[in-house]
Amino acid sequence: MSRRRVPGRETDAAESNTRRTWYGYGQLTRTEKRGFGLFLHDTPRVFAEISVVSLPVLLFVMEYPADGWFDAKATALVAWTTAVVVGTLIRIGALHPVATPTPGWVTLSPRLLALRVPYFNAAIAVAIFGGLAVEGAVTGVGAGGTVGVGAGIGWAATVSAGAVLAFPRVADEWVSVVG
């Protein structure tokens, strides 16, 4: 396992296939995971992190009025799922975050929690409501409804993936300023 410590980053998880596992009453051990097992092991961690800090925008979307089968809930599901999948791929080292030489996801420290709440709420809101706007614009210029829905889904997935890929770099800058 890597012993290189970068402030605010979990490089060990990205550079190693070893994870802590619970095998029953009071028994923790370390196991080696590969491929899909590693992805499955780390997905709940990233899902919980993104979901909890994004609750304000997700709860707002649940109360947002539906105008048909393609609404804010549909784009939210796409943006949320994309964020979790891309975040997990960064955490396990399958994807490298943009604009930073350091691999791995961002630690769960209090100083980075202050960054996560506004960052993920804003990113997911832009993905959701931008997707709705793109769908309306594409459908409004005479393209079919299916083309508009595809464009809205594409917007939501692209913005969400880009925000998650950029988050480790933003966190690095935050740590250098905040300390």
Side-chain angles (χ1 to χ4, degrees):
M1 196 179 300
S2 169
R3 295 292 164 219
R4 189 175 87 213
R5 300 284 181 214
V6 177
R9 295 296 281 283
E10 295 177 341
T11 57
D12 290 349
E15 295 174 342
S16 171
N17 291 340
T18 305
R19 297 292 188 267
R20 241 173 53 170
T21 302
W22 183 68
Y23 277 125
Y25 184 74
Q27 295 181 3
L28 288 174
T29 189
R30 291 184 114 23
T31 60
E32 179 108 5
K33 304 214 177 227
R34 298 251 178 233
F36 194 62
L38 191 61
F39 181 81
L40 285 177
H41 185 272
D42 286 359
T43 298
R45 156 72 161 62
V46 176
F47 172 80
E49 176 185 332
I50 290 174
S51 300
V52 168
V53 299
S54 301
L55 274 177
V57 75
L58 294 174
L59 291 173
F60 177 76
V61 166
M62 293 310 298
E63 296 300 320
Y64 199 77
D67 295 335
W69 69 271
F70 184 75
D71 60 354
K73 292 173 187 71
T75 53
L77 188 59
V78 170
W80 192 9
T81 303
T82 302
V84 169
V85 169
V86 172
T88 303
L89 292 174
I90 291 171
R91 179 165 163 72
I92 66 174
L95 277 179
H96 194 82
V98 297
T100 179
T102 308
W105 191 237
V106 180
T107 61
L108 281 172
S109 67
R111 66 182 172 197
L112 289 167
L113 182 62
L115 171 67
R116 276 181 171 86
V117 172
Y119 184 88
F120 280 116
N121 280 290
I124 290 178
V126 168
I128 293 168
F129 296 108
L132 290 177
V134 166
E135 185 268 338
V138 170
T139 303
V141 296
T146 306
V147 174
V149 168
I153 287 172
W155 171 273
T158 303
V159 168
S160 182
V164 172
L165 281 167
F167 181 63
R169 174 61 183 179
V170 172
D172 289 348
E173 292 298 320
W174 178 263
V175 167
S176 71
V177 170
V178 174

